[in-house]
Amino acid sequence: MTTSYLHTPDGRYFVVRGRLWRTSNPDLAEDDRVRLVSELMSARRAIRDAGEDRARMAEARRGVEAAKVALGERGPAWWTDGTPDYNRHLVKNTPYAAWFSDLN
């Protein structure tokens, strides 16, 4: 099942329930992106499978974080024009507010 989300005009974020989430770096080579998404999904399965094992859970969460940073979804912003990062902000509290409001 694939879900299509609304993307900001600049392609930096997608919107879920009124919140901005940073997209992956579009400049990643396709083979790197595929490998990193595979690592991310493996780490997410490891979280699911960790159960009550705190050490396994912590290791799996580190794997998710590492994959998301490598994809550009977390960590330093992948764009270089100096624009602030609004990852995880409510759209209404960002410069995208008017754009988002005009869609409704």
Side-chain angles (χ1 to χ4, degrees), residues 56-81:
R56 282 181 60 199
M57 181 66 73
E59 181 179 342
R61 286 184 174 154
R62 284 191 297 272
V64 167
E65 181 69 12
K68 286 190 156 285
V69 168
L71 284 164
E73 296 174 12
R74 294 188 185 158
W78 46 260
W79 52 89
T80 59
D81 64 2

PDB file of all heavy atoms in Angstrom, residues 56-81:
ATOM      1  N   ARG A  56      18.198  -4.381  22.559  1.00  0.00           N
ATOM      2  CA  ARG A  56      17.849  -4.565  21.143  1.00  0.00           C
ATOM      3  C   ARG A  56      17.024  -3.387  20.632  1.00  0.00           C
ATOM      4  O   ARG A  56      17.210  -2.934  19.501  1.00  0.00           O
ATOM      5  CB  ARG A  56      17.069  -5.859  20.942  1.00  0.00           C
ATOM      6  CG  ARG A  56      17.946  -7.095  20.948  1.00  0.00           C
ATOM      7  CD  ARG A  56      17.146  -8.362  20.729  1.00  0.00           C
ATOM      8  NE  ARG A  56      16.442  -8.350  19.455  1.00  0.00           N
ATOM      9  CZ  ARG A  56      15.410  -9.142  19.172  1.00  0.00           C
ATOM     10  NH1 ARG A  56      14.954 -10.003  20.066  1.00  0.00           N
ATOM     11  NH2 ARG A  56      14.834  -9.085  17.996  1.00  0.00           N
ATOM     12  N   MET A  57      16.114  -2.899  21.469  1.00  0.00           N
ATOM     13  CA  MET A  57      15.289  -1.756  21.076  1.00  0.00           C
ATOM     14  C   MET A  57      16.156  -0.523  20.845  1.00  0.00           C
ATOM     15  O   MET A  57      15.994   0.183  19.850  1.00  0.00           O
ATOM     16  CB  MET A  57      14.239  -1.468  22.153  1.00  0.00           C
ATOM     17  CG  MET A  57      13.319  -0.313  21.822  1.00  0.00           C
ATOM     18  SD  MET A  57      12.241  -0.595  20.419  1.00  0.00           S
ATOM     19  CE  MET A  57      11.085  -1.761  21.150  1.00  0.00           C
ATOM     20  N   ALA A  58      17.079  -0.262  21.749  1.00  0.00           N
ATOM     21  CA  ALA A  58      17.959   0.904  21.617  1.00  0.00           C
ATOM     22  C   ALA A  58      18.814   0.793  20.354  1.00  0.00           C
ATOM     23  O   ALA A  58      18.981   1.776  19.623  1.00  0.00           O
ATOM     24  CB  ALA A  58      18.838   1.049  22.857  1.00  0.00           C
ATOM     25  N   GLU A  59      19.328  -0.390  20.089  1.00  0.00           N
ATOM     26  CA  GLU A  59      20.145  -0.593  18.898  1.00  0.00           C
ATOM     27  C   GLU A  59      19.313  -0.385  17.631  1.00  0.00           C
ATOM     28  O   GLU A  59      19.760   0.264  16.675  1.00  0.00           O
ATOM     29  CB  GLU A  59      20.741  -1.997  18.900  1.00  0.00           C
ATOM     30  CG  GLU A  59      21.630  -2.274  17.713  1.00  0.00           C
ATOM     31  CD  GLU A  59      22.232  -3.669  17.753  1.00  0.00           C
ATOM     32  OE1 GLU A  59      22.251  -4.298  18.821  1.00  0.00           O
ATOM     33  OE2 GLU A  59      22.695  -4.107  16.695  1.00  0.00           O
ATOM     34  N   ALA A  60      18.105  -0.894  17.628  1.00  0.00           N
ATOM     35  CA  ALA A  60      17.227  -0.734  16.470  1.00  0.00           C
ATOM     36  C   ALA A  60      16.874   0.729  16.255  1.00  0.00           C
ATOM     37  O   ALA A  60      16.863   1.217  15.115  1.00  0.00           O
ATOM     38  CB  ALA A  60      15.961  -1.570  16.655  1.00  0.00           C
ATOM     39  N   ARG A  61      16.615   1.452  17.319  1.00  0.00           N
ATOM     40  CA  ARG A  61      16.296   2.880  17.194  1.00  0.00           C
ATOM     41  C   ARG A  61      17.490   3.665  16.665  1.00  0.00           C
ATOM     42  O   ARG A  61      17.312   4.609  15.887  1.00  0.00           O
ATOM     43  CB  ARG A  61      15.819   3.434  18.533  1.00  0.00           C
ATOM     44  CG  ARG A  61      14.418   2.970  18.859  1.00  0.00           C
ATOM     45  CD  ARG A  61      13.902   3.575  20.124  1.00  0.00           C
ATOM     46  NE  ARG A  61      12.504   3.211  20.314  1.00  0.00           N
ATOM     47  CZ  ARG A  61      11.911   3.149  21.477  1.00  0.00           C
ATOM     48  NH1 ARG A  61      12.562   3.442  22.586  1.00  0.00           N
ATOM     49  NH2 ARG A  61      10.645   2.801  21.560  1.00  0.00           N
ATOM     50  N   ARG A  62      18.677   3.283  17.083  1.00  0.00           N
ATOM     51  CA  ARG A  62      19.880   3.930  16.528  1.00  0.00           C
ATOM     52  C   ARG A  62      19.977   3.668  15.030  1.00  0.00           C
ATOM     53  O   ARG A  62      20.395   4.533  14.257  1.00  0.00           O
ATOM     54  CB  ARG A  62      21.133   3.464  17.256  1.00  0.00           C
ATOM     55  CG  ARG A  62      21.326   4.085  18.626  1.00  0.00           C
ATOM     56  CD  ARG A  62      22.708   3.796  19.213  1.00  0.00           C
ATOM     57  NE  ARG A  62      22.927   2.377  19.444  1.00  0.00           N
ATOM     58  CZ  ARG A  62      22.599   1.715  20.556  1.00  0.00           C
ATOM     59  NH1 ARG A  62      22.002   2.359  21.551  1.00  0.00           N
ATOM     60  NH2 ARG A  62      22.858   0.433  20.685  1.00  0.00           N
ATOM     61  N   GLY A  63      19.592   2.466  14.607  1.00  0.00           N
ATOM     62  CA  GLY A  63      19.599   2.133  13.179  1.00  0.00           C
ATOM     63  C   GLY A  63      18.619   2.978  12.388  1.00  0.00           C
ATOM     64  O   GLY A  63      18.932   3.436  11.288  1.00  0.00           O
ATOM     65  N   VAL A  64      17.428   3.183  12.947  1.00  0.00           N
ATOM     66  CA  VAL A  64      16.437   4.044  12.287  1.00  0.00           C
ATOM     67  C   VAL A  64      16.984   5.461  12.167  1.00  0.00           C
ATOM     68  O   VAL A  64      16.932   6.071  11.095  1.00  0.00           O
ATOM     69  CB  VAL A  64      15.093   4.043  13.052  1.00  0.00           C
ATOM     70  CG1 VAL A  64      14.182   5.162  12.559  1.00  0.00           C
ATOM     71  CG2 VAL A  64      14.402   2.699  12.912  1.00  0.00           C
ATOM     72  N   GLU A  65      17.521   5.980  13.258  1.00  0.00           N
ATOM     73  CA  GLU A  65      18.056   7.343  13.244  1.00  0.00           C
ATOM     74  C   GLU A  65      19.185   7.484  12.221  1.00  0.00           C
ATOM     75  O   GLU A  65      19.222   8.447  11.449  1.00  0.00           O
ATOM     76  CB  GLU A  65      18.545   7.742  14.636  1.00  0.00           C
ATOM     77  CG  GLU A  65      19.087   9.141  14.730  1.00  0.00           C
ATOM     78  CD  GLU A  65      18.035  10.225  14.568  1.00  0.00           C
ATOM     79  OE1 GLU A  65      16.824   9.941  14.591  1.00  0.00           O
ATOM     80  OE2 GLU A  65      18.442  11.387  14.406  1.00  0.00           O
ATOM     81  N   ALA A  66      20.097   6.524  12.192  1.00  0.00           N
ATOM     82  CA  ALA A  66      21.224   6.587  11.258  1.00  0.00           C
ATOM     83  C   ALA A  66      20.730   6.578   9.810  1.00  0.00           C
ATOM     84  O   ALA A  66      21.231   7.348   8.976  1.00  0.00           O
ATOM     85  CB  ALA A  66      22.175   5.415  11.500  1.00  0.00           C
ATOM     86  N   ALA A  67      19.761   5.736   9.507  1.00  0.00           N
ATOM     87  CA  ALA A  67      19.236   5.673   8.140  1.00  0.00           C
ATOM     88  C   ALA A  67      18.529   6.976   7.769  1.00  0.00           C
ATOM     89  O   ALA A  67      18.708   7.491   6.665  1.00  0.00           O
ATOM     90  CB  ALA A  67      18.285   4.489   7.993  1.00  0.00           C
ATOM     91  N   LYS A  68      17.748   7.527   8.682  1.00  0.00           N
ATOM     92  CA  LYS A  68      17.027   8.768   8.398  1.00  0.00           C
ATOM     93  C   LYS A  68      17.987   9.944   8.213  1.00  0.00           C
ATOM     94  O   LYS A  68      17.767  10.794   7.345  1.00  0.00           O
ATOM     95  CB  LYS A  68      15.988   9.050   9.482  1.00  0.00           C
ATOM     96  CG  LYS A  68      14.783   8.122   9.363  1.00  0.00           C
ATOM     97  CD  LYS A  68      13.691   8.554  10.269  1.00  0.00           C
ATOM     98  CE  LYS A  68      12.359   8.071   9.802  1.00  0.00           C
ATOM     99  NZ  LYS A  68      11.811   8.785   8.668  1.00  0.00           N
ATOM    100  N   VAL A  69      19.042   9.984   8.995  1.00  0.00           N
ATOM    101  CA  VAL A  69      20.044  11.043   8.822  1.00  0.00           C
ATOM    102  C   VAL A  69      20.728  10.877   7.466  1.00  0.00           C
ATOM    103  O   VAL A  69      20.905  11.846   6.724  1.00  0.00           O
ATOM    104  CB  VAL A  69      21.066  11.038   9.989  1.00  0.00           C
ATOM    105  CG1 VAL A  69      22.258  11.923   9.670  1.00  0.00           C
ATOM    106  CG2 VAL A  69      20.393  11.497  11.284  1.00  0.00           C
ATOM    107  N   ALA A  70      21.100   9.646   7.127  1.00  0.00           N
ATOM    108  CA  ALA A  70      21.767   9.407   5.841  1.00  0.00           C
ATOM    109  C   ALA A  70      20.852   9.744   4.659  1.00  0.00           C
ATOM    110  O   ALA A  70      21.321  10.231   3.623  1.00  0.00           O
ATOM    111  CB  ALA A  70      22.234   7.955   5.754  1.00  0.00           C
ATOM    112  N   LEU A  71      19.556   9.519   4.816  1.00  0.00           N
ATOM    113  CA  LEU A  71      18.593   9.866   3.764  1.00  0.00           C
ATOM    114  C   LEU A  71      18.344  11.372   3.677  1.00  0.00           C
ATOM    115  O   LEU A  71      17.814  11.859   2.691  1.00  0.00           O
ATOM    116  CB  LEU A  71      17.258   9.157   4.007  1.00  0.00           C
ATOM    117  CG  LEU A  71      17.213   7.673   3.668  1.00  0.00           C
ATOM    118  CD1 LEU A  71      16.003   7.003   4.314  1.00  0.00           C
ATOM    119  CD2 LEU A  71      17.188   7.488   2.152  1.00  0.00           C
ATOM    120  N   GLY A  72      18.696  12.100   4.733  1.00  0.00           N
ATOM    121  CA  GLY A  72      18.469  13.543   4.765  1.00  0.00           C
ATOM    122  C   GLY A  72      17.170  13.934   5.430  1.00  0.00           C
ATOM    123  O   GLY A  72      16.811  15.110   5.457  1.00  0.00           O
ATOM    124  N   GLU A  73      16.452  12.958   5.979  1.00  0.00           N
ATOM    125  CA  GLU A  73      15.169  13.241   6.623  1.00  0.00           C
ATOM    126  C   GLU A  73      15.342  13.819   8.025  1.00  0.00           C
ATOM    127  O   GLU A  73      14.419  14.435   8.560  1.00  0.00           O
ATOM    128  CB  GLU A  73      14.322  11.968   6.685  1.00  0.00           C
ATOM    129  CG  GLU A  73      13.952  11.458   5.303  1.00  0.00           C
ATOM    130  CD  GLU A  73      13.229  10.132   5.322  1.00  0.00           C
ATOM    131  OE1 GLU A  73      12.803   9.679   6.412  1.00  0.00           O
ATOM    132  OE2 GLU A  73      13.072   9.538   4.244  1.00  0.00           O
ATOM    133  N   ARG A  74      16.480  13.595   8.607  1.00  0.00           N
ATOM    134  CA  ARG A  74      16.827  14.160   9.917  1.00  0.00           C
ATOM    135  C   ARG A  74      18.258  14.669   9.843  1.00  0.00           C
ATOM    136  O   ARG A  74      18.953  14.460   8.872  1.00  0.00           O
ATOM    137  CB  ARG A  74      16.707  13.093  11.023  1.00  0.00           C
ATOM    138  CG  ARG A  74      15.285  12.636  11.246  1.00  0.00           C
ATOM    139  CD  ARG A  74      15.191  11.741  12.456  1.00  0.00           C
ATOM    140  NE  ARG A  74      13.831  11.225  12.576  1.00  0.00           N
ATOM    141  CZ  ARG A  74      13.518  10.136  13.230  1.00  0.00           C
ATOM    142  NH1 ARG A  74      14.446   9.438  13.862  1.00  0.00           N
ATOM    143  NH2 ARG A  74      12.264   9.716  13.293  1.00  0.00           N
ATOM    144  N   GLY A  75      18.692  15.308  10.908  1.00  0.00           N
ATOM    145  CA  GLY A  75      20.046  15.853  10.928  1.00  0.00           C
ATOM    146  C   GLY A  75      20.094  17.158  10.157  1.00  0.00           C
ATOM    147  O   GLY A  75      19.074  17.829   9.971  1.00  0.00           O
ATOM    148  N   PRO A  76      21.269  17.521   9.687  1.00  0.00           N
ATOM    149  CA  PRO A  76      21.407  18.781   8.943  1.00  0.00           C
ATOM    150  C   PRO A  76      20.539  18.782   7.685  1.00  0.00           C
ATOM    151  O   PRO A  76      20.390  17.754   7.029  1.00  0.00           O
ATOM    152  CB  PRO A  76      22.888  18.814   8.568  1.00  0.00           C
ATOM    153  CG  PRO A  76      23.553  17.871   9.502  1.00  0.00           C
ATOM    154  CD  PRO A  76      22.539  16.827   9.842  1.00  0.00           C
ATOM    155  N   ALA A  77      19.964  19.929   7.385  1.00  0.00           N
ATOM    156  CA  ALA A  77      19.146  20.046   6.173  1.00  0.00           C
ATOM    157  C   ALA A  77      19.992  19.767   4.942  1.00  0.00           C
ATOM    158  O   ALA A  77      21.168  20.131   4.887  1.00  0.00           O
ATOM    159  CB  ALA A  77      18.531  21.443   6.091  1.00  0.00           C
ATOM    160  N   TRP A  78      19.391  19.134   3.938  1.00  0.00           N
ATOM    161  CA  TRP A  78      20.146  18.777   2.736  1.00  0.00           C
ATOM    162  C   TRP A  78      20.237  19.922   1.746  1.00  0.00           C
ATOM    163  O   TRP A  78      21.008  19.867   0.802  1.00  0.00           O
ATOM    164  CB  TRP A  78      19.560  17.529   2.075  1.00  0.00           C
ATOM    165  CG  TRP A  78      18.077  17.472   1.914  1.00  0.00           C
ATOM    166  CD1 TRP A  78      17.197  16.788   2.712  1.00  0.00           C
ATOM    167  CD2 TRP A  78      17.276  18.090   0.905  1.00  0.00           C
ATOM    168  NE1 TRP A  78      15.909  16.952   2.265  1.00  0.00           N
ATOM    169  CE2 TRP A  78      15.924  17.750   1.145  1.00  0.00           C
ATOM    170  CE3 TRP A  78      17.560  18.913  -0.186  1.00  0.00           C
ATOM    171  CZ2 TRP A  78      14.884  18.190   0.346  1.00  0.00           C
ATOM    172  CZ3 TRP A  78      16.523  19.352  -0.980  1.00  0.00           C
ATOM    173  CH2 TRP A  78      15.198  18.987  -0.711  1.00  0.00           C
ATOM    174  N   TRP A  79      19.482  20.980   1.925  1.00  0.00           N
ATOM    175  CA  TRP A  79      19.590  22.126   1.016  1.00  0.00           C
ATOM    176  C   TRP A  79      20.650  23.087   1.548  1.00  0.00           C
ATOM    177  O   TRP A  79      20.989  23.069   2.712  1.00  0.00           O
ATOM    178  CB  TRP A  79      18.244  22.818   0.826  1.00  0.00           C
ATOM    179  CG  TRP A  79      17.546  23.193   2.103  1.00  0.00           C
ATOM    180  CD1 TRP A  79      17.671  24.352   2.804  1.00  0.00           C
ATOM    181  CD2 TRP A  79      16.627  22.394   2.836  1.00  0.00           C
ATOM    182  NE1 TRP A  79      16.884  24.330   3.928  1.00  0.00           N
ATOM    183  CE2 TRP A  79      16.234  23.127   3.969  1.00  0.00           C
ATOM    184  CE3 TRP A  79      16.085  21.116   2.653  1.00  0.00           C
ATOM    185  CZ2 TRP A  79      15.327  22.638   4.907  1.00  0.00           C
ATOM    186  CZ3 TRP A  79      15.193  20.640   3.591  1.00  0.00           C
ATOM    187  CH2 TRP A  79      14.823  21.403   4.699  1.00  0.00           C
ATOM    188  N   THR A  80      21.158  23.912   0.665  1.00  0.00           N
ATOM    189  CA  THR A  80      22.315  24.743   1.023  1.00  0.00           C
ATOM    190  C   THR A  80      22.070  26.238   0.857  1.00  0.00           C
ATOM    191  O   THR A  80      23.029  27.014   0.875  1.00  0.00           O
ATOM    192  CB  THR A  80      23.526  24.336   0.161  1.00  0.00           C
ATOM    193  OG1 THR A  80      23.185  24.505  -1.220  1.00  0.00           O
ATOM    194  CG2 THR A  80      23.954  22.906   0.425  1.00  0.00           C
ATOM    195  N   ASP A  81      20.810  26.648   0.725  1.00  0.00           N
ATOM    196  CA  ASP A  81      20.540  28.067   0.494  1.00  0.00           C
ATOM    197  C   ASP A  81      20.338  28.868   1.783  1.00  0.00           C
ATOM    198  O   ASP A  81      20.009  30.045   1.737  1.00  0.00           O
ATOM    199  CB  ASP A  81      19.346  28.246  -0.435  1.00  0.00           C
ATOM    200  CG  ASP A  81      18.039  27.726   0.153  1.00  0.00           C
ATOM    201  OD1 ASP A  81      18.037  27.255   1.312  1.00  0.00           O
ATOM    202  OD2 ASP A  81      17.022  27.772  -0.558  1.00  0.00           O
TER     203      ASP A  81
END
